[in-house]
Amino acid sequence: MSNLMSGAKMLLECLAKEGVDCFFGYPGGVTLPLYDAIYDHPIRHILVRHEENACFAAEGYARATGKVGVCCATSGPGATNLVTGLVDAMMDSIPIVAITGQVPTKLIGSDAFQEADTFGITRSCTKHNFMVQKLDELQQIVHEAFYIASSGRPGPVLVDIPKDVFLAQGHYAPVNTIHLPGYKVFTEGHAGQIRRAAQMIWDAERPWVYAGGGIIAAGASEELRQLVEIVDMPAVCTLMGLGALSSDHPNFVSMPGMHGSYAANMGMSNCDVMIALGVRFDDRVTGRIAAFAPNAKVIHVDIDPAEIGKNRAPDLPIVGDVKRVLQKMLRNVEELKPANVEKNAASRRAWWKQVRGWKEEHPLARPTSDTEIKPQHLMAEIDRLSGGQAIVTSDVGQHQMWGAQLIRFNEPRLWINSGGLGAMGFGLPSAIGAQFARPDKLVFTIVGDGGFQMSIPELATVASYGLPIKIIVMNNGYLGMIRQWQELFYNNRLCSAQLDCFPDAEKLAGAYGFKGRTIDKPHELASALEEAVREPGPYLLNVRVSPNENVYPMIPAGCAVNEMVLGPPEPVGAA
Amino acid sequence: MLQVISLLLENKPGALLRVTGLLSARGYNIESLTVARTLDPELSRMTIVVDVDPALRSQVIKQMNKLINVLQAVDLTETPSVCRDMVLVRVRTVQESRTAVLKEAEIFGARVISSAVDGFVLEASGAPEKLEEFIQVMRSYGESDVTRAGTVAMSLETKKLRLQPPVPTRADAKLEQTNGVLNA
Ligand SMILES: Cc1ncc(C[n+]2csc(CCOP(=O)(O)OP(=O)(O)O)c2C)c(N)n1
Ligand SMILES: [Mg+2]
């Protein structure tokens, strides 16, 4: 059997070998040979309406499954349009492979039509990137790209392929080994350190688990659940870690950080042993780092040695895959249990009492009103319909914070948002990727009236593939998060914060051939959401909410937990 | 204080930029940088001299070690190591000073590599501070041009290289084979 084929076909064979069933992209001059090969290849190509969204969709696919997401763009403008998505995947450690076309090798460096130095431009926004110089290297590089993207701390990898490499003919012989001598993946974790950590946990009077996206990346939810149960410790999940421990788990407190709950932040601040698992002590979590968790001994488990001590020097560092580390730690914790369980039992009971007290004192607010839909009311209703089961992707802004605070996620990989980069325009395209990855799942995307308008072209993708995504616009008539900051920190001098034009949702969705509706009355909310969920196809629900609501609690940027603002100032003259 | 970082990296396009990019992205300036092939032609040895906030140095070195093209990055600032630099100095000098210049060159162990009526080109190598003195002395004799090679360093301890062994690629995933047009 002849296995002579073009580089383009060879690329698709490599993708198939890596288990890719679909990928997201947009064609162009130099990738036409690839599209010619896609024409009759079983891998599905999903045509999005902007390359940035191909990248976000690949991320949505990866975030919903843990598999590598793939996107593809042409040279020049196609490749530069991927940059935001690549940085986003880098910040949130999401495994994606981006394929870009490049001008033919002979023209590289000549300012050829649609030439851009993609290899140079994307160097700092990928975990690694490659430029294929000749067909011989193609297969090896593609497999290396998948391996790098998905192993260790996951991240985006870009492969730049010149047009002549797509066109060249060569023999396909599957590549079976990868050799990257300089690629260091630390999986096991130091056994002695892990044992010491187990002892430290039992020695704690006020233990506290701070779990992040690393738990989800490692698939370590089960181990996390066991750990908090054996020792009966309170746990918080970060914005990236929501669902790592089920929101309905009795030990789950909520999310910590700038818009975290009172109890979550008080716990972070007052614990004596903090077990930090797959987190990076982000400034949005810690606030002013010097004042963060002042009395805590920190155990920090992370697969990336460069995260250890980056923001907070741990008392006990463990470099390793958090799943493997937790498996060992669980054994140690069990072994040490009989000798230790009684020791601090009384203090730990008192600690729990305090944590529960904090929760009751200042629960996350869910205000409702008879006249207007409160944003929190909207989130509470979505939560009711989801029951902790639906995939919810979010855009960036106030709605994202309320969603994170108020919607439950009973499994990992249900809450999908742009955490580290905070890239507006992420919500809808990531929902597209998630829905392709999980056709069985109910997928909501919650977007602001600002961010939605950044991704509006993707309504066409939703319509043309008939994706039954429930697009919920939390429409407050503002770039809400901008208004909130201008109000609180810039003397209410609102500048370019108002969004005074928003399309008619029914007409807009109708123009794409699916259903849409606008509501603004609280009594319509439940039934409108139910109608959206019942609809077998896509649905655009534009929910007009109170325009002036702010997200609380809030720890202003650069402040410490004790500077947390719990709610709006009392109106002057109030009793 | 200047700091010395020694790296072993793959001799591949872009590898150098990945390393220096970590420094420039943080606004650090590179004082000197040398890079050349090792005994294994697929690898290069790089020596970087930087002025980095000491608290951040270990962070930057960890980041360098994370680079796929970097086999090893080690901090030589506080470990037993030797550093050498090389310099070419062209000194213009008047007839009367020629002998004195040659005498000084001898003291510093410098060699004359070109001689002309208006001066010399001298080559010296040694510890970076020593060369600094040599340059100052030469400048006192007349207008000088200087080209320094940059510091090369070698650790006096051998640090074990931890290399990743080859790994298998994914076993073939099965895609449903269908005939005809699929993505039209
Ligand atoms: C691409 C991008 N541009 C700007 C910002 C800054 N920003 C953060 S939140 C926000 C407002 C978002 O408004 P909207 O989408 O209406 O959501 P809301 O906050 O009102 O819920 C802006 C402009 C951003 N995060 N991303
Ligand atoms: Mg808004």
Side-chain angles (χ1 to χ4, degrees):
Chain A
M1 191 186 99
S2 163
N3 55 5
L4 194 69
M5 61 176 79
S6 69
K9 177 91 194 303
M10 218 179 265
L11 169 63
L12 294 174
E13 292 308 313
C14 293
L15 297 187
K17 185 168 156 63
E18 291 291 343
V20 177
D21 53 1
C22 73
F23 68 118
F24 307 88
Y26 210 91
V30 299
T31 53
L32 284 176
L34 175 61
Y35 281 80
D36 193 53
I38 293 171
Y39 183 81
D40 46 13
H41 197 277
I43 292 184
R44 239 181 132 187
H45 177 267
I46 312 300
L47 179 68
V48 292
R49 297 304 190 265
H50 188 291
E51 289 88 350
E52 176 177 299
N53 299 327
C55 209
F56 286 155
E59 278 197 82
Y61 181 99
R63 288 172 194 249
T65 56
K67 286 169 60 180
V68 177
V70 181
C71 60
C72 167
T74 190
S75 65
T80 54
N81 275 345
L82 291 180
V83 167
T84 305
L86 293 171
V87 182
D88 192 72
M90 190 73 174
M91 290 290 263
D92 288 349
S93 308
I94 304 302
I96 61 170
V97 168
I99 308 286
T100 50
Q102 183 52 279
V103 301
T105 39
K106 278 205 289 294
L107 295 182
I108 291 176
S110 71
D111 302 324
F113 177 63
Q114 292 193 327
E115 181 181 2
D117 174 17
T118 306
F119 185 60
I121 290 169
T122 61
R123 192 184 66 239
S124 62
C125 51
T126 51
K127 182 174 171 184
H128 193 67
N129 63 0
F130 294 95
M131 179 151 87
V132 181
Q133 318 249 14
K134 46 189 189 310
L135 184 58
D136 297 354
E137 310 171 334
L138 178 69
Q139 292 182 62
Q140 190 72 37
I141 286 178
V142 173
H143 292 303
E144 285 175 5
F146 275 81
Y147 178 67
I148 293 168
S150 58
S151 57
R153 178 180 182 166
V157 179
L158 180 136
V159 183
D160 198 32
I161 307 176
K163 184 177 184 179
D164 51 321
V165 174
F166 280 132
L167 287 168
Q169 295 280 324
H171 286 279
Y172 175 77
V175 170
N176 294 317
T177 55
I178 292 165
H179 193 201
L180 296 163
Y183 183 44
K184 303 149 203 87
V185 181
F186 302 86
T187 45
E188 287 310 315
H190 189 280
Q193 291 286 84
I194 296 172
R195 208 179 163 75
R196 272 188 283 282
Q199 185 61 54
M200 226 163 118
I201 292 170
W202 281 121
D203 290 343
E205 299 187 341
R206 300 185 307 280
W208 186 262
V209 174
Y210 160 30
I215 295 281
I216 293 176
S221 285
E222 178 52 26
E223 289 78 5
L224 173 65
R225 184 186 64 76
Q226 289 182 29
L227 181 70
V228 301
E229 286 180 4
I230 296 173
V231 192
D232 192 19
M233 297 183 277
V236 291
C237 294
T238 65
L239 183 67
M240 289 307 300
L242 290 174
L245 181 67
S246 165
S247 306
D248 281 334
H249 194 284
N251 292 42
F252 176 68
V253 179
S254 53
M255 177 178 79
M258 178 176 274
H259 291 298
S261 75
Y262 178 73
N265 285 323
M266 291 301 281
M268 294 285 264
S269 216
N270 288 285
C271 61
D272 67 346
V273 171
M274 176 180 283
I275 304 128
L277 305 170
V279 293
R280 55 187 179 86
F281 295 83
D282 182 73
D283 57 274
R284 284 295 192 261
V285 168
T286 64
R288 190 164 69 247
I289 191 79
F292 175 71
N295 303 312
K297 288 208 180 85
V298 171
I299 301 168
H300 189 184
V301 184
D302 203 282
I303 198 161
D304 180 357
E307 283 303 335
I308 305 285
K310 184 180 80 177
N311 295 333
R312 163 84 181 227
D315 301 270
L316 200 147
I318 300 173
V319 178
D321 178 340
V322 69
K323 187 181 178 80
R324 302 284 299 126
V325 170
L326 282 182
Q327 284 169 345
K328 289 188 202 159
M329 199 185 286
L330 280 170
R331 280 200 292 280
N332 293 155
V333 168
E334 285 282 15
E335 282 159 21
L336 294 169
K337 184 170 181 172
N340 289 275
V341 67
E342 288 308 325
K343 190 173 51 183
N344 290 323
S347 336
R348 286 204 301 272
R349 270 196 302 277
W351 173 233
W352 257 122
K353 194 156 171 264
Q354 187 166 31
V355 173
R356 292 208 179 88
W358 286 325
K359 274 179 103 164
E360 282 155 26
E361 237 176 288
H362 298 290
L364 289 164
R366 289 177 177 79
T368 53
S369 134
D370 294 337
T371 49
E372 45 180 27
I373 300 175
K374 293 281 182 188
Q376 300 91 332
H377 184 193
L378 169 62
M379 300 309 160
E381 278 301 311
I382 293 173
D383 174 63
R384 180 179 67 83
L385 288 174
S386 158
Q389 301 295 315
I391 290 179
V392 180
T393 82
S394 167
D395 214 84
V396 172
Q398 290 186 313
H399 60 281
Q400 176 190 25
M401 292 300 118
W402 280 312
Q405 289 179 342
L406 300 174
I407 301 174
R408 287 165 303 151
F409 300 99
N410 290 349
E411 285 167 30
R413 305 198 175 282
L414 295 179
W415 169 245
I416 293 175
N417 79 143
S418 165
L421 191 65
M424 283 172 73
F426 177 86
L428 180 56
S430 62
I432 291 173
Q435 187 77 80
F436 272 108
R438 299 293 308 270
D440 55 314
K441 275 280 184 190
L442 172 61
V443 177
F444 288 99
T445 180
I446 304 174
V447 294
D449 42 339
F452 175 65
Q453 295 187 74
M454 285 199 181
S455 49
I456 249 178
E458 295 310 320
L459 290 179
T461 312
V462 171
S464 81
Y465 290 93
L467 301 174
I469 298 169
K470 311 308 164 197
I471 305 162
I472 315 295
V473 183
M474 190 202 88
N475 188 337
N476 51 11
Y478 283 106
L479 297 171
M481 196 53 98
I482 299 297
R483 183 193 46 71
Q484 174 163 351
W485 283 53
Q486 289 180 341
E487 202 178 300
L488 298 177
F489 310 117
Y490 294 87
N491 288 320
N492 202 22
R493 287 155 55 91
L494 302 191
C495 177
S496 294
Q498 193 162 20
L499 297 170
D500 48 16
C501 172
F502 192 83
D504 177 321
E506 195 177 339
K507 285 189 191 151
L508 177 65
Y512 287 101
F514 60 92
K515 279 201 189 141
R517 181 178 169 192
T518 297
I519 56 166
D520 59 1
K521 306 269 181 308
H523 66 83
E524 300 170 308
L525 179 59
S527 61
L529 278 167
E530 283 161 17
E531 179 187 318
V533 170
R534 262 198 316 276
E535 173 70 24
Y539 200 102
L540 174 64
L541 184 64
N542 176 30
V543 184
R544 292 202 172 274
V545 299
S546 355
N548 293 314
E549 202 71 26
N550 286 342
V551 187
Y552 292 107
M554 179 173 196
I555 301 174
C559 289
V561 169
N562 58 11
E563 294 161 271
M564 183 172 7
V565 185
L566 288 167
E570 291 289 318
V572 185
Chain B
M1 193 183 76
L2 292 184
Q3 296 145 359
V4 184
I5 303 170
S6 172
L7 298 100
L8 189 63
L9 66 162
E10 291 180 297
N11 190 358
K12 285 193 174 163
L16 170 72
L17 279 171
R18 291 182 209 277
V19 174
T20 56
L22 287 175
L23 295 164
S24 61
R26 290 171 173 74
Y28 293 133
N29 196 29
I30 293 172
E31 300 293 329
S32 95
L33 182 149
T34 66
V35 55
R37 268 190 199 169
T38 62
L39 291 175
D40 177 347
E42 306 212 322
L43 301 180
S44 303
R45 171 69 65 182
M46 181 192 278
T47 307
I48 309 181
V49 179
V50 271
D51 189 0
V52 173
D53 178 352
L56 286 174
R57 186 189 351 151
S58 78
Q59 171 68 18
V60 171
I61 292 172
K62 281 182 189 173
Q63 299 275 9
M64 289 176 175
N65 269 312
K66 262 172 77 173
L67 295 171
I68 312 279
N69 293 143
V70 171
L71 274 62
Q72 190 179 48
V74 288
D75 186 359
L76 296 186
T77 315
E78 274 146 26
T79 59
S81 59
V82 285
C83 290
R84 286 295 177 269
D85 197 348
M86 191 190 100
V87 66
L88 298 177
V89 180
R90 184 172 62 221
V91 55
R92 285 177 222 286
T93 180
V94 289
Q95 202 63 31
E96 299 77 61
S97 312
R98 288 180 72 91
T99 341
V101 167
L102 291 175
K103 193 83 204 146
E104 292 284 4
E106 205 184 319
I107 292 169
F108 281 94
R111 296 196 302 145
V112 177
I113 51 176
S114 165
S115 171
V117 278
D118 62 341
F120 303 101
V121 178
L122 303 166
E123 171 202 311
S125 69
E129 315 82 65
K130 204 79 208 150
L131 293 189
E132 206 61 57
E133 285 170 36
F134 173 65
I135 293 165
Q136 292 316 321
V137 169
M138 285 303 135
R139 288 179 67 185
S140 71
Y141 285 98
E143 203 190 318
S144 303
D145 291 324
V146 169
T147 301
R148 291 182 74 152
T151 301
V152 289
M154 184 170 268
S155 172
L156 296 177
E157 300 169 333
T158 37
K159 204 168 171 210
K160 221 177 125 218
L161 249 189
R162 196 176 163 282
L163 298 183
Q164 155 136 327
V167 291
T169 48
R170 243 182 96 103
D172 266 284
K174 278 279 154 285
L175 248 196
E176 245 171 78
Q177 284 293 334
T178 33
N179 293 317
V181 179
L182 292 156
N183 280 295

